[in-house]
Amino acid sequence: EIAFQKRMLNNLQLIGSLVISKTTGNIGLNYDASSGFSRAADNPNFLLVNLPEDSSLDFDRPLVLKLMGTYKLPYDFFASCYYTYMSGTPLPRSVTVIPPASWVQDNNAYSEPATVLLEKPGTRRAEPYHNFDLRIEKEFGFGSSGRISIYVDILNALGKKYSFISKNDGGFWFPDAENTTQGTRVLSENYKKITSLSGTRMIRLGLNLRF
């Protein structure tokens, strides 16, 4: 992690940080995994199929950059900006295997589905995240010791839009028998579909009173 800061010089101030990281493992960082409800011991496939110890964890973001700057304009107006960049999170593919009825009967077993990974986590990632916010602010004196400031925030000033398209074909695999590549694959109903949208530019007017 690198952090850098510069005091206001020639009416300009810059602050920033750069984080280069790598978070790996084979248990996960979600709520269940971190609170004692991990699926790691549910079946032997969990740790054996495409999940080595150097797999990227759920929220792994190799690069995070944050920059903030303020510039003093004429008439004591201040313009500030805040920029954030983050690498996309891992999007591993998976499939749920349904045991064939003949195998279940021959082995007197329960027909429990097993979800396994089709690739090592980190092989593909979501789109990187960018955000750029702006603020214009002016401060005035109020009474003998009070101060009042008026500001305008422009959030997501560049109007960056994100559409999350599911890249996990997932779904189900119905093998015809044990140890065979013959069977029926049913893809996830969300595969290649937009499952969420975000990215609204907002303008916000604010008033701050201090005394």
Side-chain angles (χ1 to χ4, degrees), residues 121-157:
T123 303
R124 67 189 67 209
R125 291 180 176 271
E127 181 182 358
Y129 171 81
H130 303 262
N131 189 66
F132 185 69
D133 298 331
L134 287 173
R135 168 177 285 195
I136 305 295
E137 185 173 7
K138 170 68 175 178
E139 188 174 89
F140 305 90
F142 179 75
S144 59
S145 60
R147 306 292 295 178
I148 184 171
S149 60
I150 301 174
Y151 58 89
V152 176
D153 287 336
I154 305 176
L155 308 179
N156 188 23

Side-chain angles (χ1 to χ4, degrees), residues 41-126:
D42 287 358
N43 66 77
N45 296 309
F46 186 91
L47 297 175
L48 296 178
V49 182
N50 293 322
L51 193 61
E53 293 181 357
D54 61 343
S55 299
S56 296
L57 291 179
D58 311 20
F59 306 116
D60 177 51
R61 294 184 183 271
L63 179 63
V64 177
L65 173 65
K66 295 183 179 181
L67 296 172
M68 186 177 71
T70 299
Y71 184 73
K72 185 178 180 181
L73 300 168
Y75 304 104
D76 289 332
F77 280 87
F78 288 87
S80 301
C81 64
Y82 182 44
Y83 173 75
T84 303
Y85 169 88
M86 293 188 290
S87 303
T89 52
L91 293 177
R93 295 169 57 235
S94 62
V95 66
T96 299
V97 182
I98 308 299
S102 57
W103 179 88
V104 172
Q105 183 175 358
D106 292 343
N107 290 273
N108 192 28
Y110 289 105
S111 182
E112 283 289 331
T115 299
V116 295
L117 294 173
L118 294 175
E119 61 190 15
K120 175 183 173 182
T123 303
R124 67 189 67 209
R125 291 180 176 271

Side-chain angles (χ1 to χ4, degrees), residues 6-31:
K6 189 175 184 64
R7 294 184 178 179
M8 184 162 284
L9 179 65
N10 296 326
N11 297 326
L12 177 65
Q13 181 186 54
L14 294 174
I15 303 173
S17 68
L18 174 65
V19 178
I20 300 174
S21 65
K22 185 177 182 180
T23 54
T24 59
N26 52 15
I27 296 300
L29 290 173
N30 56 42
Y31 175 81

